[in-house]
Amino acid sequence: MSMNIVIRGGRVMDPASQLDSVTDLYISDGKIAALGEAPAGFVEELSLDASGLIVSPGFVDLCARVREPGNSAKGTIRSETQAAAAGGITSLCVPPDSNPINDSTAVTKLIMDKARQAGFAKILPIGALTKGLEGEQLANMQALAEAGCIALSNTRLPIRNSLTLMRCLEYAATFDLLVIFQSQDADLASAGVMHDGATATRLGLSGIPETAETIAVARDLLLVEQTGVRAHFGQLSTARAVQLIMDARAKGLRVTADVAVHHLLYTDTKLKGFDSLYHINPPLRSSIDRAGLREALLGGTLSAICSDHQPHDEAAKRAPLSATEPGISSLETLLPQALTLVEQGVLDMMQMIDKLASGPAKVLGIQAGRLALGDAADICVFDPKQEWLLSANQMHSTGKNTPLLKKTQTGKVRYTLVDGELVYQAH
């Protein structure tokens, strides 16, 4: 049983109920017991001072690799959930491209058991849409869902046969399972390492054109419309793809979408110095794309901001740019990066919390990302103004592959609670 905890004097912000008030929050039996005044018979066992801090629902991350099972040199469930807790993230969705692939209930159960043992954050596994993510045979989606998979995806690996994809979506629609697309035309993207634009031309690097995303999104949306499946489009990078999502939603399709935080902040010009730490997939796009993504975020077409966390070992980023592996380690910097959007006037604080917590929870259809009485006490307490230096030896993630290393961040998580247990406390 968890302790009776009081979080005192914080600015409690809950987008789901539009609550914004300086008050006390009471936790009992791992759940939110009361706001304002202590519930009857409540005996305080731990008090957390939140004066001058923001108390928000724990963040829900729609895409984060933990590398386990498989490549434990890059990360483990323990190390990466610890990093998540340090970033205020209490639930994280893990794509199925582990080793072995999460296309069987045995792998799903292994991931969930390890997550429970680690205890730092809740892992929501995403099951494979096709066996081995090979894009040919349907995975046993219903069994994966029953074992605990929150959704199904083929990640960025192609399902080239549209009939196979249609059968996958029909199967998922029959059981009302959520399908997550990371839409990309594999042939158009195959040789590229960055956005196909003026910067790529100047650097002499192969580009990934905007159409690698838009053609794939268009095909996927047409099949979504045909099958009626619940669909989510993850980590969109182009303004035109977002417009396609907007049009689909206007037609009444059950479609949502998210964006990785780095696509809201950076553009392809960051690669001018051949900096492999900005090598990601989908790539950083043009300033026009970034503006389109920001507009769609504010307008509600993009429901969530995710970390798209991809931890790597040093060797993965130490090579000529085109030979490095794409991805940024970004769990521990998700909050300061999102706060940059507040500082720049893209979002206000309540909107930011919505995109990190309640928005992604709604996409998944889970009771999370809110501070309702009786809900699990998954809570993030943070100081939006505290400055701190990101250093490799203080990072919990095994992956130190972030361009923010040795740079001052603004916005620090002070406490993270999962099911009413204090899983992270800043020193």
Side-chain angles (χ1 to χ4, degrees):
M1 301 288 280
S2 64
M3 295 204 294
N4 284 351
I5 300 173
V6 189
I7 301 175
R8 293 198 182 281
R11 181 183 174 188
V12 180
M13 299 185 75
D14 178 24
S17 62
Q18 286 300 299
L19 173 68
D20 183 356
S21 173
V22 175
T23 188
D24 300 337
L25 190 150
Y26 295 84
I27 297 161
S28 185
D29 292 334
K31 300 188 185 306
I32 295 170
L35 283 161
E37 292 185 17
F42 183 89
V43 179
E44 176 186 321
E45 293 171 275
L46 177 65
S47 175
L48 301 177
D49 181 12
S51 307
L53 308 178
I54 290 174
V55 180
S56 82
F59 305 146
V60 178
D61 193 345
L62 291 176
C63 187
R65 263 80 177 182
V66 294
R67 301 301 187 197
E68 196 179 14
N71 202 339
S72 55
K74 290 178 185 253
T76 63
I77 286 171
R78 184 174 182 82
S79 68
E80 304 318 295
T81 54
Q82 206 171 358
I89 299 159
T90 51
S91 297
L92 58 162
C93 296
V94 176
D97 52 357
S98 50
N99 183 18
I101 303 284
N102 186 11
D103 61 358
S104 72
T105 57
V107 177
T108 304
K109 285 171 182 168
L110 172 68
I111 291 168
M112 296 188 79
D113 286 346
K114 280 184 171 280
R116 272 191 290 271
Q117 287 163 20
F120 292 107
K122 296 171 182 175
I123 281 191
L124 309 173
I126 300 168
L129 199 58
T130 61
K131 287 181 181 176
L133 296 175
E134 289 168 359
E136 291 173 7
Q137 289 178 287
L138 277 63
N140 191 343
M141 303 178 211
Q142 176 65 357
L144 288 168
E146 286 173 358
C149 286
I150 193 81
L152 300 147
S153 176
N154 222 61
T155 64
R156 293 201 187 281
L157 295 170
I159 300 178
R160 286 190 166 89
N161 187 319
S162 294
L163 179 62
T164 303
L165 178 55
M166 188 176 80
R167 294 282 180 255
C168 289
L169 302 187
E170 285 172 343
Y171 184 119
T174 302
F175 296 100
D176 194 32
L177 306 175
L178 177 67
V179 173
I180 296 178
F181 291 94
Q182 292 179 309
S183 301
Q184 188 175 71
D185 185 298
D187 299 307
L188 282 171
S190 62
V193 291
M194 65 174 295
H195 173 62
D196 189 14
T199 305
T201 304
R202 275 199 300 275
L203 298 177
L205 293 171
S206 302
I208 299 176
E210 171 203 82
T211 47
E213 182 165 283
T214 52
I215 285 172
V217 169
R219 178 189 78 151
D220 295 342
L221 281 172
L222 288 168
L223 292 174
V224 166
E225 185 173 12
Q226 184 168 334
T227 58
V229 74
R230 268 195 307 138
H232 178 76
F233 287 76
Q235 301 84 66
L236 293 178
S237 67
T238 65
R240 285 188 69 185
V242 167
Q243 185 62 52
L244 291 169
I245 301 293
M246 198 183 299
D247 295 344
R249 285 165 65 92
K251 273 200 247 179
L253 267 63
R254 295 192 298 167
V255 171
T256 51
D258 73 61
V259 60
V261 69
H262 25 263
H263 283 106
L264 295 165
L265 295 174
Y266 313 129
T267 67
D268 60 335
T269 57
K270 282 288 183 187
L271 287 105
K272 273 180 184 172
F274 294 93
D275 188 347
S276 65
L277 292 173
Y278 289 103
H279 176 203
I280 56 174
N281 186 24
L284 297 172
R285 298 283 184 183
S286 68
S287 56
I288 292 170
D289 287 310
R290 181 178 61 180
L293 293 170
R294 288 178 166 200
E295 194 179 323
L297 190 69
L298 197 55
T301 301
L302 293 170
S303 306
I305 299 171
C306 76
S307 71
D308 195 16
H309 174 69
Q310 297 189 49
H312 285 298
D313 52 18
E314 271 192 68
K317 290 290 186 179
R318 273 195 181 168
L321 181 64
S322 55
T324 59
E325 294 183 55
I328 293 177
S329 178
S330 47
L331 289 173
E332 291 163 90
T333 55
L334 179 60
L335 174 65
Q337 289 196 293
L339 283 165
T340 302
L341 297 168
V342 176
E343 185 198 333
Q344 293 176 354
V346 179
L347 301 171
D348 63 29
M349 190 68 75
M350 188 70 91
Q351 289 166 333
M352 182 202 80
I353 294 169
D354 177 49
K355 300 301 182 186
L356 292 176
S358 46
K362 278 181 207 157
V363 165
L364 300 171
I366 58 173
Q367 284 196 336
R370 61 186 196 184
L371 298 175
L373 297 186
D375 273 3
D378 295 348
I379 296 167
C380 171
V381 182
F382 65 93
D383 183 341
K385 293 179 180 168
Q386 184 178 339
E387 294 189 347
W388 56 285
L389 191 71
L390 181 67
S391 62
N393 61 357
Q394 288 179 329
M395 285 181 74
H396 298 278
S397 173
T398 303
K400 316 301 180 191
N401 51 301
T402 167
L404 300 178
L405 213 55
K406 299 179 184 173
K407 292 182 181 172
T408 300
Q409 311 301 309
T410 304
K412 177 79 173 164
V413 175
R414 290 285 190 86
Y415 308 106
T416 304
L417 294 92
V418 173
D419 286 331
E421 287 194 29
L422 188 62
V423 293
Y424 174 78
Q425 181 171 356
H427 299 299

Coordinates of all heavy atoms in Angstrom, one line a residue, residues 113-158:
D113 N 6.3 -7.4 -17.3 CA 6.9 -7.9 -16.1 C 8.1 -7.1 -15.7 O 8.2 -6.7 -14.5 CB 7.2 -9.3 -16.2 CG 6.0 -10.3 -16.2 OD1 4.9 -9.8 -15.9 OD2 6.1 -11.4 -16.6
K114 N 9.0 -6.8 -16.7 CA 10.2 -6.0 -16.4 C 9.8 -4.6 -16.0 O 10.5 -4.0 -15.1 CB 11.1 -6.0 -17.6 CG 11.9 -7.3 -17.7 CD 12.9 -7.2 -18.9 CE 13.9 -8.4 -18.9 NZ 15.0 -8.2 -18.0
A115 N 8.8 -4.0 -16.6 CA 8.4 -2.7 -16.2 C 7.8 -2.6 -14.8 O 8.1 -1.7 -14.0 CB 7.3 -2.2 -17.2
R116 N 7.1 -3.6 -14.4 CA 6.5 -3.7 -13.0 C 7.7 -3.8 -12.0 O 7.7 -3.2 -11.0 CB 5.6 -4.9 -12.9 CG 4.1 -4.5 -13.3 CD 3.1 -5.6 -12.9 NE 3.3 -6.8 -13.7 CZ 2.6 -7.0 -14.8 NH1 1.8 -6.1 -15.3 NH2 2.8 -8.1 -15.5
Q117 N 8.7 -4.6 -12.4 CA 9.8 -4.8 -11.5 C 10.6 -3.5 -11.3 O 11.1 -3.2 -10.2 CB 10.8 -5.9 -12.0 CG 10.2 -7.3 -11.9 CD 10.9 -8.3 -12.7 OE1 12.1 -8.1 -13.2 NE2 10.3 -9.4 -13.0
A118 N 10.8 -2.7 -12.4 CA 11.5 -1.5 -12.4 C 10.7 -0.5 -11.5 O 11.3 0.2 -10.7 CB 11.8 -1.0 -13.8
G119 N 9.4 -0.3 -11.8 CA 8.6 0.5 -11.0 C 8.7 2.0 -11.1 O 8.1 2.8 -10.4
F120 N 9.5 2.5 -12.1 CA 9.7 3.9 -12.3 C 8.6 4.6 -13.1 O 8.3 5.8 -12.9 CB 11.0 4.2 -12.9 CG 12.2 3.9 -12.0 CD1 13.0 2.8 -12.2 CD2 12.4 4.7 -10.8 CE1 14.1 2.5 -11.4 CE2 13.5 4.4 -10.0 CZ 14.3 3.3 -10.3
A121 N 8.0 3.9 -14.1 CA 7.0 4.4 -14.9 C 6.2 3.3 -15.5 O 6.7 2.1 -15.6 CB 7.6 5.3 -16.0
K122 N 5.0 3.6 -16.0 CA 4.2 2.5 -16.6 C 4.5 2.4 -18.1 O 4.6 3.4 -18.8 CB 2.7 2.9 -16.5 CG 2.2 3.0 -15.0 CD 0.8 3.6 -14.9 CE 0.4 3.6 -13.4 NZ -0.9 4.3 -13.2
I123 N 4.8 1.2 -18.5 CA 5.1 0.9 -19.9 C 3.8 0.4 -20.6 O 3.2 -0.5 -20.1 CB 6.2 0.0 -20.1 CG1 7.6 0.7 -19.9 CG2 6.2 -0.7 -21.5 CD1 8.8 0.0 -20.3
L124 N 3.4 1.0 -21.7 CA 2.3 0.6 -22.5 C 2.8 0.1 -23.8 O 3.2 0.8 -24.7 CB 1.4 1.8 -22.7 CG 0.9 2.6 -21.5 CD1 0.2 3.9 -21.9 CD2 0.1 1.8 -20.5
P125 N 2.9 -1.3 -23.9 CA 3.5 -1.8 -25.1 C 2.6 -1.6 -26.3 O 1.4 -1.7 -26.2 CB 3.7 -3.3 -24.8 CG 3.3 -3.5 -23.4 CD 2.5 -2.3 -23.0
I126 N 3.3 -1.4 -27.5 CA 2.6 -1.4 -28.8 C 2.9 -2.7 -29.5 O 4.1 -3.0 -29.6 CB 3.0 -0.2 -29.6 CG1 2.7 1.2 -28.9 CG2 2.3 -0.2 -31.0 CD1 3.3 2.4 -29.5
G127 N 1.9 -3.4 -29.9 CA 2.2 -4.7 -30.5 C 2.4 -4.5 -32.0 O 2.1 -3.5 -32.6
A128 N 3.0 -5.6 -32.6 CA 3.3 -5.5 -34.1 C 2.0 -5.8 -34.9 O 1.2 -6.6 -34.5 CB 4.4 -6.6 -34.4
L129 N 1.9 -5.0 -35.9 CA 0.7 -5.2 -36.8 C 0.9 -6.4 -37.7 O -0.1 -7.1 -38.0 CB 0.6 -3.9 -37.7 CG -0.7 -3.6 -38.4 CD1 -1.9 -3.5 -37.4 CD2 -0.6 -2.3 -39.2
T130 N 2.1 -6.7 -38.1 CA 2.4 -7.9 -38.9 C 3.5 -8.7 -38.2 O 4.3 -8.2 -37.4 CB 2.9 -7.5 -40.3 OG1 4.1 -6.8 -40.2 CG2 1.9 -6.7 -41.1
K131 N 3.5 -10.0 -38.5 CA 4.5 -10.9 -37.9 C 5.9 -10.4 -38.3 O 6.2 -10.3 -39.4 CB 4.3 -12.3 -38.4 CG 3.1 -13.0 -37.7 CD 2.9 -14.4 -38.2 CE 1.6 -15.0 -37.6 NZ 1.3 -16.3 -38.1
G132 N 6.8 -10.3 -37.2 CA 8.2 -9.9 -37.4 C 8.3 -8.5 -38.1 O 9.4 -8.1 -38.5
L133 N 7.2 -7.7 -38.1 CA 7.2 -6.4 -38.7 C 7.6 -6.5 -40.2 O 8.1 -5.5 -40.8 CB 8.0 -5.4 -38.0 CG 7.6 -5.0 -36.5 CD1 8.7 -4.1 -35.9 CD2 6.3 -4.4 -36.5
E134 N 7.4 -7.7 -40.8 CA 7.8 -7.9 -42.1 C 6.8 -7.4 -43.2 O 7.1 -7.4 -44.4 CB 8.2 -9.4 -42.3 CG 9.4 -9.8 -41.6 CD 9.6 -11.3 -41.5 OE1 8.7 -12.0 -42.0 OE2 10.6 -11.7 -40.9
G135 N 5.6 -7.0 -42.7 CA 4.6 -6.5 -43.7 C 4.0 -7.5 -44.6 O 3.4 -7.1 -45.6
E136 N 4.0 -8.8 -44.1 CA 3.4 -9.8 -45.0 C 2.3 -10.6 -44.4 O 1.2 -10.7 -45.0 CB 4.5 -10.8 -45.5 CG 5.5 -10.1 -46.4 CD 6.7 -10.9 -46.7 OE1 6.7 -12.1 -46.3 OE2 7.6 -10.4 -47.4
Q137 N 2.5 -11.1 -43.1 CA 1.4 -11.8 -42.5 C 0.9 -11.1 -41.3 O 1.6 -10.4 -40.6 CB 1.9 -13.2 -42.0 CG 2.2 -14.2 -43.1 CD 2.8 -15.5 -42.5 OE1 3.9 -15.5 -42.1 NE2 2.0 -16.5 -42.5
L138 N -0.4 -11.1 -41.1 CA -1.0 -10.5 -39.9 C -0.5 -11.1 -38.6 O -0.4 -12.3 -38.5 CB -2.6 -10.6 -40.0 CG -3.3 -9.5 -40.9 CD1 -2.9 -9.7 -42.3 CD2 -4.8 -9.7 -40.7
A139 N -0.2 -10.2 -37.7 CA 0.1 -10.7 -36.3 C -1.3 -11.0 -35.6 O -2.3 -10.6 -36.1 CB 0.8 -9.6 -35.5
N140 N -1.2 -11.8 -34.5 CA -2.4 -12.1 -33.7 C -2.7 -10.9 -32.9 O -2.4 -10.9 -31.7 CB -2.1 -13.4 -32.9 CG -3.4 -13.9 -32.3 OD1 -4.4 -13.2 -32.3 ND2 -3.4 -15.1 -31.9
M141 N -3.4 -9.9 -33.5 CA -3.6 -8.6 -32.8 C -4.5 -8.7 -31.6 O -4.2 -8.1 -30.6 CB -4.2 -7.7 -33.8 CG -3.4 -7.4 -35.1 SD -4.3 -6.3 -36.2 CE -3.7 -6.9 -37.8
Q142 N -5.5 -9.5 -31.7 CA -6.4 -9.6 -30.5 C -5.7 -10.2 -29.3 O -5.9 -9.7 -28.2 CB -7.7 -10.5 -30.9 CG -8.6 -10.7 -29.8 CD -9.3 -9.5 -29.2 OE1 -9.0 -8.3 -29.7 NE2 -10.2 -9.6 -28.3
A143 N -4.9 -11.2 -29.5 CA -4.1 -11.8 -28.4 C -3.2 -10.8 -27.8 O -3.0 -10.8 -26.6 CB -3.4 -13.1 -28.9
L144 N -2.5 -10.0 -28.7 CA -1.6 -9.0 -28.2 C -2.3 -8.0 -27.4 O -1.8 -7.6 -26.3 CB -0.9 -8.3 -29.4 CG 0.2 -9.2 -30.2 CD1 0.5 -8.5 -31.5 CD2 1.4 -9.4 -29.3
A145 N -3.5 -7.6 -27.8 CA -4.3 -6.6 -27.1 C -4.7 -7.2 -25.7 O -4.6 -6.5 -24.7 CB -5.5 -6.2 -27.8
E146 N -5.1 -8.4 -25.7 CA -5.5 -9.1 -24.4 C -4.3 -9.2 -23.5 O -4.5 -9.2 -22.2 CB -6.1 -10.5 -24.7 CG -7.5 -10.3 -25.3 CD -8.1 -11.7 -25.7 OE1 -7.4 -12.7 -25.6 OE2 -9.3 -11.7 -26.2
A147 N -3.1 -9.4 -24.0 CA -1.9 -9.5 -23.2 C -1.4 -8.2 -22.6 O -0.6 -8.1 -21.7 CB -0.8 -10.1 -24.0
G148 N -2.0 -7.0 -23.1 CA -1.7 -5.7 -22.6 C -1.2 -4.7 -23.6 O -0.8 -3.6 -23.2
C149 N -1.2 -5.0 -24.9 CA -0.7 -4.0 -25.9 C -1.8 -2.9 -26.0 O -3.0 -3.2 -26.2 CB -0.5 -4.7 -27.2 SG 1.1 -5.6 -27.2
I150 N -1.4 -1.7 -26.0 CA -2.3 -0.5 -26.0 C -2.8 -0.2 -27.4 O -3.8 0.4 -27.6 CB -1.6 0.7 -25.3 CG1 -2.6 1.8 -25.1 CG2 -0.5 1.2 -26.2 CD1 -3.4 1.6 -23.8
A151 N -1.9 -0.6 -28.4 CA -2.2 -0.3 -29.8 C -1.4 -1.3 -30.6 O -0.6 -2.1 -30.1 CB -1.9 1.1 -30.1
L152 N -1.5 -1.1 -32.0 CA -0.7 -1.9 -32.9 C 0.0 -1.0 -33.9 O -0.6 0.0 -34.3 CB -1.6 -2.9 -33.6 CG -2.3 -3.9 -32.6 CD1 -3.7 -4.3 -33.1 CD2 -1.4 -5.1 -32.3
S153 N 1.2 -1.4 -34.4 CA 1.9 -0.6 -35.3 C 2.9 -1.4 -36.1 O 3.3 -2.5 -35.6 CB 2.6 0.5 -34.6 OG 3.4 1.3 -35.5
N154 N 3.2 -1.0 -37.3 CA 4.3 -1.6 -38.1 C 5.6 -0.7 -38.0 O 6.5 -0.9 -38.8 CB 3.9 -1.9 -39.5 CG 4.4 -3.3 -39.9 OD1 4.1 -4.3 -39.3 ND2 5.3 -3.4 -40.9
T155 N 5.6 0.3 -37.1 CA 6.6 1.3 -37.0 C 6.8 2.0 -38.4 O 5.9 2.2 -39.1 CB 7.9 0.8 -36.4 OG1 8.5 -0.2 -37.2 CG2 7.6 0.2 -35.0
R156 N 8.1 2.2 -38.8 CA 8.3 2.8 -40.1 C 8.7 1.7 -41.1 O 9.1 2.0 -42.2 CB 9.5 3.8 -40.0 CG 9.1 5.0 -39.2 CD 9.9 6.3 -39.5 NE 9.5 7.2 -38.5 CZ 8.4 7.9 -38.6 NH1 7.6 7.8 -39.6 NH2 8.0 8.8 -37.6
L157 N 8.5 0.5 -40.7 CA 8.8 -0.6 -41.6 C 7.6 -0.8 -42.6 O 6.5 -0.7 -42.2 CB 9.1 -1.9 -40.9 CG 10.4 -1.8 -40.0 CD1 10.5 -3.0 -39.1 CD2 11.6 -1.7 -40.9
P158 N 7.9 -1.0 -43.9 CA 6.8 -0.9 -44.9 C 5.9 -2.1 -44.9 O 6.3 -3.2 -44.7 CB 7.6 -0.7 -46.2 CG 8.9 -1.4 -45.9 CD 9.2 -1.2 -44.5

